[in-house]
Amino acid sequence: MSATDANGLASAQSASGGIGIANLPNQLHKIVTKKGTNFSLMVVGESGTGKTTFINTLLTTEIIEPLEDAARRKKQLDKTVDINIHKAELEEKMFNVKLNVVDTPGFGDFVNNIDCWLPVVDFIENQYEQYLRQEQQPVRKGIVDMRVHACLYFIRPNGHTLKPLDVRAMKAIGARVNLIPVIAKADTLSPAALRQFKKRVMDVIDAQSIRIYQPPVDSEDESTSLRNKDIVSAMPFAIIGSTQEVKTPDGRHVKGRQYPWGVAEVENDQHCDFKKLRSLLIRTHMLDLISTTEEVHYDKYRTTQMKTRKFGEPKPRKADNKKFREEEEMLRKRFTEKVKLEENRFRQWEQKLIAERDRLNKDLEQEHNLVKQLESEIEAISSVNSPNGKFFRK
Amino acid sequence: MKDGSGEDQNVAPSVYSHVSRPGSHRYKNAKKGLPFNVMLVGESGLGRTTFLNTLCERTVVSSNDKTNAEQAHIAEPMQFKHHTVEMDEDGMKIILNIIDTPGFGDGIDNEACFTQIQEYLETQFDEVLAEENRIKRNPKFKDSRVHALVYFITPTGHSLREIDIEMMKRLGSRVNIIPVIGRSDSLTPRELVLFKQRIMNDIAQYEIPVFSFPDGEDEDDEETVEENAELRAMMPFAVVGCEEVINEDGRPMRVRNYPWGVVQVDNDEHSDFDRLRYVLLNSHIGDLRDRTQNEIYELYRTEKLSGNTAALANAANAANVQQSSHIMTAA
């Protein structure tokens, strides 16, 4: 049945077909279909860039609810970047995806935005850390994997170029996770302006060595390669988000934004790159995003950590945020004050006890002296009463 | 924005300006021209430069091509750029001085921007104060006090951001602030209405001083009162910048071309630009100048002149407070 060729390798060949190795992909398909998969997506950008709308449009469900006015006012001046995680389970044709969407309200929204990307970077690294620790446990059954597989960075369409904040943040984020830059609210740039803006953004990304996600382009069949090339050339993706259905002037019902001068359609490739981005995130490259995260980014983290730490040691804490340092100082001051108060109290108590002891000792001495006195009196009396007092005493 | 086909693409006077509107104040400065100083403040990319060009009806500033990608991570500090244009508005000659502020809000930490602008405004007041106190005044003195500050709000669609609130609060007592929404063609009509409402709510909530088209004390002209109320309801003005001029029915029109439609800058249903222009250069130019002179400058003057004695009193108070607090901790 098996013939050996010139190199001595055994090639399995039979009259009816192979031994069945070719069926492995089908087995994998069944396994994956049963297990489902876990996908974490992060959205980063200033408020009002359409992050919430985009997520809800992408997944055609309201995963993130828009903030109410009262909640938004509370967030206006609090000067912090929050991390909010929204979980959802998606099912399509019997295939499950456990989806995590990480939102970052407060990013870049304040007058002073120094280090506002630190909470984002910390979150990403913490997920790697958690996974690393879980892997090192003796029981590895229920590992919770929250590692971020893709991070969408929403760029404001100011028509000129990337802001310094964008450059710094993207550099820090792109080094740790699959970074996909996205031009938000693209319906405010005309096609020519958009092309120019995209080119400028890519120029800055190259010049500043910002690492962004490069999807693999070449594949076996021509049409996939072509489609991939198409997707890559559209980066950064210009998107419009809308969960509402509107009617176009020529009578179609589409998802879009209705202006007095026309309807900007979400799923129209002439209007924006939404379909390409959706394809990248879900239809064609989701598994590549997941495997790149595991094989490249997580591995890099793991290597650097293992070089410097022993197995099972906890992670050393970095210098904290300025604001936290201030709070820490305050707490420390309060703590030392309390300790001082308690010490004073103890000292006073000690002094009281010492005073008490001295007093009691004095009393004791007095009694002692009294006893001595009485004894000497007795002596005196007995020696006075009988010169030869031996008769009485015996 | 590059126009692509020659310099004077924006030469197209507003098609609506000849429609008569009530309450236009006229000044008899026909020969010399009325000086009017306007400052434009807003983050880059909100259409400030385009607004400037559209307002003056000519390309005053060509789009700055910041092609230096290697420098993109460095924030450029804010600058003050002056442009002067002579305008003719309904027969009234205006010398329009525009102060542009490129670099505002573009850095990572923007605290310094406010102080810079405040210092600029106060310097102009100081110059006028010094001039007033001279024995021999200079007849050719150029009054460079800023009469109006147009502040561009980012069209997030939510509400005011911290930088907007801080900015308007700190400078509202030194200049007439006119808030506008830049790039308002990114909002649908419904979103725009909600956004305007939320902004006005914020302005009321945080007590932000903006120019709110006040009626004069003895204003009995009903039309003016109505007009002011109408303008108040329109605030903040939604502005769209013009990219090109096309010929529509033989008339030049300022438009923005999108694959899904064409925005007409001068159309009142598409943007409030035209109304704003009329307010700035025609109907309320007098009010803005008067308020700057009579209220804002006077307030500054009072503060400054009594400020010397007040400063001493404040210092004495502070010293007292410090002393008493020392006594308390020692006890």
Side-chain angles (χ1 to χ4, degrees):
Chain A
M1 288 301 164
S2 58
T4 30
D5 57 29
N7 294 349
L9 294 169
S11 55
Q13 271 182 358
S14 71
S16 51
I19 57 174
I21 299 177
N23 197 38
L24 276 174
N26 290 343
Q27 290 182 32
L28 190 60
H29 182 260
K30 284 211 190 91
I31 293 173
V32 175
T33 319
K34 199 161 147 227
K35 211 168 63 158
T37 186
N38 175 10
F39 189 63
S40 295
L41 180 66
M42 189 177 215
V43 285
V44 175
E46 296 174 39
S47 84
T49 42
K51 303 187 292 288
T52 310
T53 315
F54 172 73
I55 292 287
N56 294 340
T57 314
L58 181 75
L59 306 167
T60 61
T61 359
E62 198 169 276
I63 305 258
I64 310 180
E65 289 161 11
L67 274 181
E68 286 297 308
D69 281 351
R72 200 174 283 287
R73 181 153 293 150
K74 218 165 58 143
K75 186 71 196 154
Q76 246 170 350
L77 300 178
D78 78 359
K79 297 195 213 253
T80 55
V81 178
D82 297 331
I83 303 270
N84 292 342
I85 304 177
H86 307 266
K87 292 192 195 234
E89 259 195 52
L90 304 175
E91 193 195 307
E92 193 178 285
K93 290 197 190 142
M94 304 288 288
F95 186 68
N96 292 337
V97 172
K98 285 203 185 56
L99 182 73
N100 301 309
V101 178
V102 184
D103 193 7
T104 54
F107 179 88
D109 280 338
F110 306 110
V111 176
N112 181 353
N113 292 311
I114 289 182
D115 289 345
C116 68
W117 54 88
L118 280 188
V120 173
V121 165
D122 279 347
F123 177 80
I124 295 172
E125 291 203 328
N126 280 340
Q127 303 318 308
Y128 291 151
E129 178 63 26
Q130 301 277 11
Y131 193 79
L132 185 65
R133 293 244 219 109
Q134 286 177 87
E135 264 197 331
Q136 292 173 349
Q137 297 300 323
V139 177
R140 291 202 292 189
K141 199 143 183 236
I143 291 189
V144 170
D145 184 6
M146 282 282 302
R147 293 174 296 183
V148 178
H149 298 119
C151 180
L152 296 175
Y153 189 88
F154 283 67
I155 302 171
R156 250 194 218 292
N158 67 17
H160 297 311
T161 178
L162 281 183
K163 292 193 336 190
L165 171 65
D166 296 331
V167 172
R168 300 277 305 268
M170 281 170 75
K171 249 197 187 155
I173 297 175
R176 295 166 167 89
V177 76
N178 292 324
L179 176 67
I180 302 176
V182 156
I183 298 178
K185 296 202 171 178
D187 52 351
T188 186
L189 291 174
S190 66
L194 186 59
R195 269 196 302 272
Q196 213 180 34
F197 186 51
K198 278 191 182 185
K199 185 168 177 303
R200 290 233 191 91
V201 168
M202 291 312 280
D203 283 345
V204 173
I205 287 179
D206 283 334
Q208 298 282 334
S209 317
I210 296 175
R211 196 166 148 181
I212 58 174
Y213 175 64
Q214 301 285 358
V217 177
D218 297 312
S219 88
E220 293 100 34
D221 64 291
E222 252 316 296
S223 63
T224 321
S225 296
L226 219 63
R227 200 183 44 209
N228 288 344
K229 276 209 190 77
D230 212 19
I231 291 179
V232 171
S233 64
M235 281 177 97
F237 301 101
I239 57 175
I240 305 174
S242 171
T243 47
Q244 292 168 328
E245 270 213 7
V246 294
K247 195 159 158 202
T248 57
D250 48 359
R252 292 170 293 139
H253 282 276
V254 290
K255 267 204 300 238
R257 292 171 61 76
Q258 184 149 56
Y259 293 108
W261 46 87
V263 171
E265 300 168 40
V266 169
E267 302 200 0
N268 183 334
D269 274 332
Q270 304 288 327
H271 293 185
C272 73
D273 300 324
F274 176 80
K275 274 189 11 194
K276 293 194 182 123
L277 180 58
R278 183 175 59 188
S279 170
L280 180 84
L281 281 179
I282 301 179
R283 188 180 289 261
T284 50
H285 288 89
M286 182 189 263
L287 285 182
D288 183 70
L289 286 167
I290 295 178
S291 62
T292 326
T293 310
E294 289 180 4
E295 289 163 23
V296 176
H297 297 282
Y298 171 65
D299 207 62
K300 197 167 84 168
Y301 178 81
R302 192 167 169 279
T303 317
T304 44
Q305 291 300 312
M306 292 202 130
K307 276 200 195 138
T308 54
R309 278 156 57 188
K310 289 193 291 224
F311 190 87
E313 217 181 70
K315 186 176 177 183
R317 281 173 59 82
K318 294 186 290 208
D320 279 1
N321 223 339
K322 241 200 285 188
K323 303 176 200 139
F324 293 148
R325 239 182 280 149
E326 285 176 13
E327 275 191 45
E328 220 185 295
E329 276 305 310
M330 235 184 31
L331 285 174
R332 198 172 292 157
K333 255 197 240 145
R334 268 202 303 181
F335 186 67
T336 26
E337 275 177 21
K338 278 218 179 104
V339 166
K340 256 201 226 129
L341 276 175
E342 289 296 303
E343 276 187 5
N344 273 342
R345 202 164 64 88
F346 281 138
R347 216 175 295 143
Q348 284 180 351
W349 196 11
E350 200 183 16
Q351 282 176 354
K352 261 202 263 170
L353 284 177
I354 291 178
E356 186 77 15
R357 184 192 63 179
D358 287 341
R359 191 173 62 85
L360 289 174
N361 275 350
K362 247 210 322 214
D363 280 353
L364 207 59
E365 251 197 64
Q366 271 186 349
E367 299 294 320
H368 206 57
N369 288 342
L370 206 57
V371 165
K372 271 227 188 87
Q373 221 187 5
L374 289 174
E375 272 187 6
S376 50
E377 271 183 23
I378 292 176
E379 286 266 357
I381 292 176
S382 45
S383 52
V384 157
N385 277 350
S386 63
N388 29 340
K390 323 178 214 189
F391 296 125
F392 278 86
R393 255 194 282 145
K394 288 262 180 352
Chain B
M1 320 280 155
K2 278 220 174 91
D3 290 311
S5 47
E7 275 227 302
D8 284 327
Q9 274 284 18
N10 284 340
V11 175
S14 157
V15 289
Y16 294 85
S17 69
H18 62 275
V19 173
S20 73
R21 296 192 206 242
S24 146
H25 302 250
R26 291 176 175 277
Y27 280 71
K28 301 227 168 33
N29 268 330
K31 274 202 203 151
K32 281 193 295 184
L34 188 67
F36 190 55
N37 308 322
V38 177
M39 186 184 263
L40 303 179
V41 177
E43 292 177 37
S44 78
L46 287 181
R48 223 181 40 240
T49 312
T50 318
F51 178 81
L52 178 83
N53 291 337
T54 320
L55 187 70
C56 304
E57 290 164 1
R58 71 179 86 151
T59 313
V60 178
V61 180
S62 58
S63 58
N64 65 331
D65 275 4
K66 212 165 41 159
T67 46
N68 197 346
E70 276 101 35
Q71 300 292 313
H73 62 293
I74 301 177
E76 282 187 11
M78 189 175 77
Q79 300 167 317
F80 292 100
K81 294 226 164 106
H82 297 258
H83 309 279
T84 306
V85 177
E86 265 187 32
M87 313 266 304
D88 189 300
E89 189 71 19
D90 281 355
M92 179 168 66
K93 205 159 144 209
I94 301 176
I95 301 179
L96 185 61
N97 297 310
I98 301 206
I99 306 133
D100 195 8
T101 54
F104 174 85
D106 284 343
I108 301 184
D109 183 359
N110 297 307
E111 278 288 340
C113 296
F114 307 131
T115 350
Q116 267 184 283
I117 299 183
Q118 189 169 353
E119 275 172 10
Y120 178 89
L121 294 173
E122 291 184 352
T123 313
Q124 312 313 313
F125 286 151
D126 286 339
E127 283 186 11
V128 173
L129 196 60
E131 180 64 24
E132 276 182 358
N133 292 336
R134 253 185 259 257
I135 300 174
K136 231 186 157 190
R137 294 202 193 161
N138 178 3
K140 291 213 190 101
F141 177 71
K142 271 220 291 218
D143 179 7
S144 50
R145 290 174 295 188
V146 178
H147 300 119
L149 189 148
V150 179
Y151 182 69
F152 287 76
I153 298 174
T154 319
T156 61
H158 300 314
S159 56
L160 287 181
R161 302 155 81 211
E162 194 203 5
I163 191 172
D164 304 328
I165 298 173
E166 280 300 300
M167 159 77 206
M168 293 198 279
K169 260 183 125 162
R170 290 206 217 178
L171 301 179
S173 58
R174 293 278 180 257
V175 70
N176 294 314
I177 295 187
I178 301 181
V180 304
I181 302 173
R183 276 194 192 274
S184 65
D185 56 344
S186 80
L187 299 167
T188 63
R190 200 171 156 273
E191 287 171 354
L192 189 58
V193 164
L194 284 175
F195 188 42
K196 284 190 179 186
Q197 262 179 19
R198 289 207 200 102
I199 292 180
M200 294 315 284
N201 283 345
D202 276 351
I203 287 182
Q205 165 102 359
Y206 292 105
E207 291 173 2
I208 299 174
V210 296
F211 182 70
S212 51
F213 303 98
D215 300 317
E217 281 171 4
D218 344 307
E219 192 64 63
D220 48 2
D221 181 3
E222 258 203 36
E223 282 189 16
T224 321
V225 172
E226 242 182 62
E227 186 194 6
N228 281 336
E230 206 187 308
L231 288 169
R232 241 172 274 140
M234 248 186 174
M235 276 175 74
F237 298 96
V239 164
V240 179
C242 157
E243 275 195 334
E244 50 187 287
V245 184
I246 60 169
N247 264 309
E248 176 111 344
D249 310 327
R251 275 194 334 222
M253 283 214 101
R254 293 187 289 205
V255 295
R256 280 178 79 87
N257 248 319
Y258 289 121
W260 49 86
V262 177
V263 184
Q264 295 161 356
V265 171
D266 296 315
N267 186 338
D268 269 348
E269 287 176 27
H270 291 188
S271 93
D272 300 331
F273 173 79
D274 216 61
R275 203 60 205 277
L276 174 62
R277 189 183 178 286
Y278 193 78
V279 160
L280 276 182
L281 299 181
N282 208 317
S283 63
H284 284 75
I285 185 170
D287 281 359
L288 289 166
R289 284 176 49 100
D290 288 343
R291 187 162 183 268
T292 310
Q293 165 74 33
N294 301 338
E295 287 183 34
I296 296 179
Y297 171 67
E298 287 302 311
L299 179 67
Y300 178 75
R301 192 170 169 279
T302 318
E303 278 181 17
K304 187 100 196 268
L305 293 181
S306 63
N308 291 328
T309 45
L312 287 177
N314 271 343
N317 269 342
N320 278 341
V321 168
Q322 264 200 342
Q323 262 207 346
S324 52
S325 71
H326 278 169
I327 295 173
M328 279 180 56
T329 48

